[in-house]
Amino acid sequence: MQSEQAIWAEGGWQTLHGHLQQPAQLVLLFAAREWLTPVCLEQVARRYPGALLLGCSTAGEICDTRVLDGTVLVTAVHFAATPLELVSESLAAAGDSTAMGRSLAARLPQAGLRHVLVLSDGLEVNGTELVAGLRQGLPSGMGITGGLAGDGTAFGETRVVCGQHAASGLAVALGFYGERLRVGHGSLGGWDTFGPRRLITRAAGSVLYELDGQPALALYKRYLGEHAAGLPFSGLHFPLALSGPDGRGELVRTVQAINEAEGSMTFAGAMPEGSYARLMKANLERLIDGAAGAARQSCVGREGGSAQLALLISCVGRRLVLEQRVEEELESVRELLGPQALLCGFYSYGEISPYLPTARCELHNQTMTITTFSES
């Protein structure tokens, strides 16, 4: 496997890391939404003719151990023996997000499939349902990782790139094939929980109305105290830990909006009735440790040697909470993976990964998700 990383601007190209000696078969593109224009995509396609091009808009681009804003970051890869298949689906054509996931899965050839990378619109598509559809359509135990596109802190419009086309309401799935490919993945948050577990007694989709039979927003505000005045933004510091009736399979859910009249809260993911929720709070050291833990998970069982390429997808909420310390979580990943791995990625509106290497794939919020690749 060979790779290189470059930034495109109207003045031309600047190569940052690595150097390709053979043609790229894959180009990952992460950029500020306003840069995803036909002119930009044409420039990328011209630099890497014949390569599969996929990517999305971001809430910050990850380039090695730096966080960039307002750039077009491309990571081009040549595989020695890994065939690729790229498919896309629009929400309008599929009808709903679950059907969208099933359609993507059905269009990927399954013979020899090793892993699926998914990038999706971050606002129009229901990420929880998209992942459920993918699980339904792919072989049991198939590795699925990826994330939801971002739009900085504007939350106005997100776009997904497939070839020389960028659009909202789109999702892409990239299938990796072949026996020589080694893929690892990890996803951790690093938040501290506090307070009792409370039963979700009334919810609809991502809207939470009641916990233990009490209005959810009023209960949440009581725990936040003086921080409640800053909602919904202050909610980034206080996500909820979501678990099943058996207390296992913990996910993190971030507050996106509140409705004072209904006493409800809208989260960036499904809040199923019968599940349990527990409050969490930010601990900067543990957030940074969580990124390192995700890197450590991605190395488990890597019999094919060290990672050569690492895709990092971290939540915009983590970036806003960590503020000037945000690059420390990237540095912790670099320390764990070693100097040989090329790091790329973006800050997202949701992360797609199993919570543990042996668990099923889910949509997460407020986590660092890492997918590592190498060829033996």
Side-chain angles (χ1 to χ4, degrees):
M1 180 188 297
Q2 301 174 13
S3 61
E4 72 175 30
Q5 203 165 56
I7 289 179
W8 178 80
E10 291 185 2
W13 287 95
Q14 178 187 358
T15 301
L16 303 176
H17 305 286
H19 176 67
L20 283 180
Q21 297 177 328
Q22 294 178 293
Q25 297 135 334
L26 170 66
V27 175
L28 298 171
L29 184 157
F30 304 118
R33 174 174 55 83
E34 59 269 20
W35 279 106
L36 294 181
T37 64
V39 171
C40 168
L41 299 180
E42 180 184 355
Q43 289 292 329
V44 177
R46 185 178 301 169
R47 180 178 173 95
Y48 301 106
L52 297 178
L53 174 59
L54 71 154
C56 62
S57 59
T58 79
E61 300 84 60
I62 295 174
C63 175
D64 194 55
T65 58
R66 293 188 296 156
V67 181
L68 308 176
D69 288 298
T71 67
V72 179
L73 177 68
V74 299
T75 302
V77 186
H78 171 85
F79 293 96
T82 300
L84 305 169
E85 291 282 348
L86 178 63
V87 297
S88 66
E89 183 63 90
S90 70
L91 184 61
D96 63 60
S97 298
T98 304
M100 193 179 194
R102 285 197 298 263
S103 175
L104 288 170
R107 292 164 60 193
L108 282 173
Q110 295 191 1
L113 182 62
R114 300 279 293 181
H115 189 79
V116 178
L117 173 65
V118 181
L119 298 174
S120 169
D121 180 283
L123 295 172
E124 296 181 18
V125 176
N126 183 310
T128 303
E129 294 178 2
L130 174 69
V131 171
L134 285 162
R135 287 199 311 263
Q136 292 169 17
L138 290 171
S140 177
M142 177 58 60
I144 310 168
T145 57
L148 307 186
D151 182 27
T153 57
F155 291 87
E157 178 189 0
T158 67
R159 293 178 185 168
V160 171
V161 174
C162 184
Q164 294 188 53
H165 175 64
S168 301
L170 189 69
V172 295
L174 178 66
F176 295 81
Y177 298 79
E179 293 299 320
R180 291 179 56 183
L181 183 69
R182 300 292 179 263
V183 183
H185 51 77
S187 180
L188 281 177
W191 299 82
D192 288 335
T193 55
F194 68 99
R197 288 199 314 149
R198 296 186 180 274
L199 180 66
I200 297 179
T201 49
R202 184 178 167 224
S206 60
V207 182
L208 175 63
Y209 294 97
E210 292 182 1
L211 291 167
D212 286 344
Q214 304 177 54
L217 180 58
L219 186 62
Y220 186 76
K221 283 183 173 182
R222 281 209 305 273
Y223 276 102
L224 263 60
E226 63 182 14
H227 298 287
L231 285 171
F233 183 80
S234 61
L236 291 171
H237 295 259
F238 300 94
L240 291 186
L242 186 67
S243 59
D246 58 1
R248 293 158 52 180
E250 184 175 284
L251 304 174
V252 182
R253 288 288 179 258
T254 304
V255 181
Q256 281 192 329
I258 62 172
N259 187 314
E260 296 282 1
E262 294 182 345
S264 66
M265 308 162 64
T266 300
F267 289 82
M271 302 292 288
E273 290 182 3
S275 298
Y276 285 87
R278 192 179 183 193
L279 221 63
M280 309 177 89
K281 60 183 177 181
N283 177 319
L284 300 190
E285 298 300 331
R286 278 183 33 80
L287 289 178
I288 294 167
D289 289 344
R296 193 175 294 110
Q297 279 185 2
S298 74
C299 296
V300 172
R302 177 171 282 283
E303 71 278 12
S306 301
Q308 296 168 300
L309 173 68
L311 175 60
L312 282 58
I313 301 177
S314 187
C315 183
V316 61
R318 293 173 66 88
R319 183 181 182 186
L320 295 174
V321 170
L322 286 166
E323 295 181 329
Q324 69 270 20
R325 297 188 64 184
V326 66
E327 291 183 347
E328 291 185 37
E329 74 168 355
L330 308 183
E331 291 165 0
S332 71
V333 173
R334 166 61 73 199
E335 184 176 352
L336 261 294
L337 295 184
Q340 78 293 329
L342 190 149
L343 308 185
C344 69
F346 66 99
Y347 282 85
S348 72
Y349 285 177
E351 304 81 60
I352 296 171
S353 175
Y355 183 67
L356 295 171
T358 56
R360 74 178 192 176
C361 182
E362 301 278 6
L363 174 72
H364 305 272
N365 306 137
Q366 298 280 29
T367 63
M368 165 66 85
T369 288
I370 301 173
T371 309
T372 57
F373 301 91
S374 64
E375 284 183 310
S376 59

